[in-house]
Amino acid sequence: MSILLWVLQALLALHTAIGASWKLFNSEQAVPTLAALPHWAWTVLIPLELSCAAGLVIPALAPSLGWLVPVAAIGIAIEMLVFTGVHRRARTEDNGPMYYWLGVAALCVVIALGRLFVAPL
């Protein structure tokens, strides 16, 4: 189980780092329903996402920092749920992005619970 969690953590970290770099070169206008976010909030997400990505993998080098994994995973899940809420508030008919964000949030919950209760570091 620990190996599976490490693989999921690495994939989520890669996903989150790519998302942060995408935000660096694209505005919130690139996703129409996220245009409701103020630009400052969009730019604040970049260092937060990079911090969460690092928090998912740093415990591989420093096991004493294992507590970072659930914190980072929960942080990413909260971001995905905020995106979902903003999307729902826009009342768009295309719910594809919302399902994607909910899937990422579910993965985050699996990682957080796995590291808290099943295979703690």
Side-chain angles (χ1 to χ4, degrees):
M1 186 59 154
S2 185
I3 293 172
L4 175 62
L5 287 172
W6 276 116
V7 169
L8 292 176
Q9 285 169 229
L11 291 173
L12 181 61
L14 180 63
H15 166 272
T16 305
I18 290 171
S21 63
W22 185 85
K23 283 175 184 61
L24 187 61
F25 298 108
N26 295 282
S27 76
E28 61 279 4
Q29 305 299 323
V31 181
T33 57
L34 295 182
L37 292 174
H39 183 70
W40 65 265
W42 189 255
T43 55
V44 165
L45 289 174
I46 297 167
L48 288 176
E49 286 183 356
L50 291 174
S51 298
C52 287
L56 290 168
V57 294
I58 284 177
L61 303 173
S64 63
L65 297 175
W67 59 271
L68 285 174
V69 174
V71 171
I74 291 168
I76 296 167
I78 290 170
E79 178 189 13
M80 296 297 115
L81 293 176
V82 167
F83 285 172
T84 299
V86 170
H87 183 82
R88 293 290 296 156
R89 189 172 186 124
R91 299 178 197 249
T92 183
E93 291 185 20
D94 176 22
N95 288 327
M98 183 182 72
Y99 297 134
Y100 169 76
W101 295 320
L102 289 174
V104 173
L107 175 63
C108 292
V109 169
V110 167
I111 291 171
L113 292 176
R115 284 301 179 197
L116 286 172
F117 301 110
V118 179
L121 294 172

